[in-house]
Amino acid sequence: MNSSTKRQKVLASRNSQDNNFANPNEYLLSSFYKPDVVGNVSPLSPKAFSYYKFEYLGSFREHGIEVNKIKVIPRAYGDGVFRGTIHIIENLWCIHSLDLETVKTGIGLKIKQLYAPVQQVWVPVNQQFHADGGIYGIKGKADYVISQSFSSLKVNPV
């Protein structure tokens, strides 16, 4: 399996809405390490400083690891950018967790992710998505919670 191949096994899913609404799997299968997250500029993108200002909010220690809390402030909030906080592990520069929100075509989307080390690689193990808003007179809310485990992870040493 190459580095861009992902296999997903869904154990349960329920949808009481139209299947044409945005699919949270787009966010699940994307990565905040990539420059683009479903049409939004990632706060970790090489061009992030053109879209965001950042504010250091301090740090904390967890299991002997120092974690920096960074506030993500868009230069102009709206479609295409995030706002919120991202936690980065000191010296490793890996994501520890994030709590970001964006807006997509009138729908507010809140994303929370918690990362944990698997074979010494920090990967998202818990994700929460909350969508709220309306379009064309239709209003709705959606919550999506994902807990992930990795049965096989082929680590690229580079």
Side-chain angles (χ1 to χ4, degrees), residues 20-54:
N20 292 325
F21 283 109
N23 185 347
N25 281 337
E26 292 178 294
Y27 290 90
L28 167 67
L29 297 175
S30 190
S31 170
F32 278 89
Y33 291 112
K34 292 186 177 181
D36 178 85
V37 180
V38 192
N40 294 296
V41 177
S42 171
L44 301 178
S45 168
K47 59 184 180 179
F49 287 104
S50 297
Y51 292 86
Y52 301 104
K53 293 183 279 180
F54 298 94

Side-chain angles (χ1 to χ4, degrees), residues 97-139:
S97 56
L98 56 84
D99 187 353
L100 297 171
E101 62 182 69
T102 188
V103 64
K104 201 84 151 157
T105 319
I107 306 292
L109 181 63
K110 294 181 182 178
I111 303 165
K112 291 184 180 184
Q113 293 182 335
L114 177 64
Y115 290 62
V118 176
Q119 298 175 10
Q120 300 178 352
V121 175
W122 285 76
V123 293
V125 294
N126 184 279
Q127 300 185 63
Q128 299 175 31
F129 300 91
H130 175 76
D132 193 356
I135 187 168
Y136 306 122
I138 301 170
K139 292 186 179 186

Side-chain angles (χ1 to χ4, degrees), residues 6-158:
K6 295 179 176 109
R7 292 185 188 164
Q8 178 184 30
K9 181 179 179 184
V10 178
L11 299 178
S13 179
R14 179 178 173 268
N15 180 5
S16 61
Q17 302 299 317
D18 184 341
N19 285 332
N20 292 325
F21 283 109
N23 185 347
N25 281 337
E26 292 178 294
Y27 290 90
L28 167 67
L29 297 175
S30 190
S31 170
F32 278 89
Y33 291 112
K34 292 186 177 181
D36 178 85
V37 180
V38 192
N40 294 296
V41 177
S42 171
L44 301 178
S45 168
K47 59 184 180 179
F49 287 104
S50 297
Y51 292 86
Y52 301 104
K53 293 183 279 180
F54 298 94
E55 182 181 336
Y56 176 70
L57 298 177
S59 67
F60 62 90
R61 292 191 71 76
E62 183 177 279
H63 305 292
I65 297 170
E66 180 143 0
V67 180
N68 297 300
K69 184 175 183 179
I70 309 294
K71 186 173 184 179
V72 178
I73 307 162
R75 294 188 182 274
Y77 185 65
D79 283 354
V81 294
F82 294 98
R83 69 179 175 195
T85 56
I86 189 165
H87 297 86
I88 304 291
I89 299 170
E90 183 72 24
N91 296 325
L92 292 178
W93 309 112
C94 300
I95 299 173
H96 169 276
S97 56
L98 56 84
D99 187 353
L100 297 171
E101 62 182 69
T102 188
V103 64
K104 201 84 151 157
T105 319
I107 306 292
L109 181 63
K110 294 181 182 178
I111 303 165
K112 291 184 180 184
Q113 293 182 335
L114 177 64
Y115 290 62
V118 176
Q119 298 175 10
Q120 300 178 352
V121 175
W122 285 76
V123 293
V125 294
N126 184 279
Q127 300 185 63
Q128 299 175 31
F129 300 91
H130 175 76
D132 193 356
I135 187 168
Y136 306 122
I138 301 170
K139 292 186 179 186
K141 288 197 281 186
D143 290 295
Y144 198 74
V145 178
I146 302 144
S147 291
Q148 298 175 156
S149 61
F150 298 86
S151 58
S152 66
L153 182 64
K154 188 174 181 180
V155 177
N156 180 346
V158 177

